[in-house]
Amino acid sequence: MKEETFPQTLHEAIKYFAKDDRAFEYMKNVRWPDGKVSCPRCGCANVSFISTRKLWTCPECKTKKQFTIRVGTVLEDSAIPFEKWICAFWLIANAKNGISSYEIGRSIGVTQRTGWFMLQRIRLAMQNGSIVKMKGQVESDETFIGGRNKFKHLGKKKDISGWQSKTPVQGLLERTTGSKASRVKLTVLKTTRNHEVQGNVREYVLKGSELHTDALRSYIGMNRDYVHQVIDHAICYAKGHVHTNGLENFWCLLKRTIKGTYVNVEPFHLFRYLDEQAFRFNEREHTDAQRFAKAIKGILGKRLTFAKLTGKEEGGELVPC
């Protein structure tokens, strides 16, 4: 596909990928960027293409000889046409405040349940598995996600109140350096105690970096490995370059998305919505087409079944994936 012909808007994308052959060829290029089709199960490259069914057969595999583009991706076992998947990827990758499963369902002609499953698979594709650590000036801060205890149903109310009834989330933000825009990394916490908070900083931030935090006691001792700068919000919110205002801005974007679009997010699914918002923030300098292309490339090597998503696998427990 020539770069100059690639659609740049949702309207152009819908028209361009309306043709099955174009959508198929595009997804084929995403699945095998080098153009060499190989069996996703055994790696054999000596495969035969059945054009009438748009699938390949592998002579090396004893069972499950046939495979499609979807095998080995988040689209595996999905009967939804590629053009609908492409439209869903485009919508969620470029909707600043997110998009609900009801809206996806109405937009592409699927049920709300199917739309919700599609969005969760797309969020998995948006996960950033980069191991490159943050450096330079890095902000660390926490927020709490969830409804107020007094507004919850009796069956979901907890004995505790205030922020303790919500789910803590830690954010790390590497500030803008030169032409490189700032980026965030988000983690759902069990508690805000020092072993969790400091553990995430040490895992994702390069030692010797300048770390900016508020006066939370969980950060005491970070000066041994980092240039630890503290801003006490009881006194002020910034002293020169010492502040956490970058993350405070991001929290506003995140909560606008959750409260305004998704209304309520269960704690065991929260990390998926964090991946979505972090992806859009980190890719905000790109065009809609570039964000879409980056998101859809994340389908490789990932899979999410409905049973696992709803806790019917892994002993019935909801397990992050």
Side-chain angles (χ1 to χ4, degrees), residues 2-43:
K2 296 181 180 180
E3 187 175 355
E4 61 269 19
T5 64
F6 193 82
Q8 298 299 307
T9 66
L10 176 61
H11 179 250
E12 292 176 359
I14 291 173
K15 291 196 299 181
Y16 187 88
F17 292 112
K19 295 183 178 179
D20 292 340
D21 290 341
R22 280 185 176 175
F24 178 82
E25 286 300 320
Y26 178 75
M27 295 304 297
K28 178 183 173 183
N29 290 333
V30 170
R31 183 66 181 82
W32 295 285
D34 58 0
K36 299 178 181 177
V37 179
S38 59
C39 176
R41 300 187 179 99
C42 68

Side-chain angles (χ1 to χ4, degrees), residues 146-159:
R148 294 182 181 179
N149 203 36
K150 66 178 182 180
F151 295 134
K152 295 181 180 179
H153 292 289
L154 290 176
K156 293 187 177 181
K157 281 190 176 181
K158 301 180 181 179
D159 295 333

Side-chain angles (χ1 to χ4, degrees), residues 137-152:
Q137 295 181 345
V138 180
E139 300 176 19
S140 179
D141 191 31
E142 296 75 42
T143 192
F144 296 86
I145 305 295
R148 294 182 181 179
N149 203 36
K150 66 178 182 180
F151 295 134
K152 295 181 180 179

Side-chain angles (χ1 to χ4, degrees), residues 16-273:
Y16 187 88
F17 292 112
K19 295 183 178 179
D20 292 340
D21 290 341
R22 280 185 176 175
F24 178 82
E25 286 300 320
Y26 178 75
M27 295 304 297
K28 178 183 173 183
N29 290 333
V30 170
R31 183 66 181 82
W32 295 285
D34 58 0
K36 299 178 181 177
V37 179
S38 59
C39 176
R41 300 187 179 99
C42 68
C44 174
N46 184 26
V47 296
S48 302
F49 181 60
I50 304 176
S51 59
T52 55
R53 299 175 62 194
K54 293 186 177 179
L55 54 78
W56 290 263
T57 57
C58 175
E60 299 294 329
C61 292
K62 294 182 179 179
T63 60
K64 295 184 178 181
K65 290 179 175 292
Q66 298 180 342
F67 64 92
T68 66
I69 293 172
R70 302 170 192 260
V71 176
T73 72
V74 297
L75 312 184
E76 188 166 346
D77 290 335
S78 171
I80 298 170
F82 285 136
E83 59 266 24
K84 290 191 176 184
W85 271 110
I86 289 171
C87 184
F89 265 95
W90 195 291
L91 285 169
I92 192 172
N94 297 302
K96 187 175 182 180
N97 292 331
I99 183 168
S100 71
S101 56
Y102 282 95
E103 189 172 353
I104 280 287
R106 291 192 302 268
S107 299
I108 66 176
V110 296
T111 64
Q112 180 272 333
R113 176 188 172 102
T114 299
W116 181 75
F117 188 25
M118 291 178 70
L119 289 178
Q120 301 293 22
R121 293 210 238 184
I122 294 172
R123 291 181 182 113
L124 176 59
M126 288 178 167
Q127 277 187 3
N128 181 7
S130 174
I131 60 174
V132 178
K133 289 193 172 185
M134 295 180 172
K135 58 183 179 179
Q137 295 181 345
V138 180
E139 300 176 19
S140 179
D141 191 31
E142 296 75 42
T143 192
F144 296 86
I145 305 295
R148 294 182 181 179
N149 203 36
K150 66 178 182 180
F151 295 134
K152 295 181 180 179
H153 292 289
L154 290 176
K156 293 187 177 181
K157 281 190 176 181
K158 301 180 181 179
D159 295 333
I160 52 180
S161 60
W163 60 267
Q164 293 176 319
S165 66
K166 300 183 180 183
T167 305
V169 174
Q170 182 181 8
L172 294 168
L173 181 142
E174 181 185 68
R175 291 183 182 172
T176 303
T177 53
S179 59
K180 184 180 178 182
S182 58
R183 62 189 179 105
V184 297
K185 173 69 178 177
L186 306 176
T187 308
V188 178
L189 303 175
K190 293 181 179 178
T191 68
T192 55
R193 294 183 178 179
N194 58 359
H195 67 278
E196 276 199 82
V197 172
Q198 294 189 21
N200 286 328
V201 173
R202 291 191 170 91
E203 181 176 357
Y204 299 117
V205 182
L206 195 66
K207 284 187 178 181
S209 301
E210 188 174 339
L211 181 67
H212 296 240
T213 72
D214 56 19
L216 183 68
R217 293 180 61 84
S218 298
Y219 289 104
I220 293 177
M222 295 302 295
N223 55 1
R224 290 194 292 267
D225 298 318
Y226 301 92
V227 182
H228 189 196
Q229 304 281 2
V230 178
I231 185 72
D232 190 345
H233 289 163
I235 300 174
C236 62
Y237 283 91
K239 284 186 177 179
H241 73 289
V242 181
H243 59 78
T244 59
N245 291 342
L247 275 173
E248 296 293 349
N249 169 68
F250 179 81
W251 295 142
C252 289
L253 297 173
L254 174 65
K255 292 184 178 181
R256 189 180 303 151
T257 299
I258 292 178
K259 292 181 181 179
T261 303
Y262 301 125
V263 183
N264 177 51
V265 176
E266 293 290 348
F268 43 78
H269 288 310
L270 179 58
F271 73 97
R272 306 181 194 280
Y273 295 84

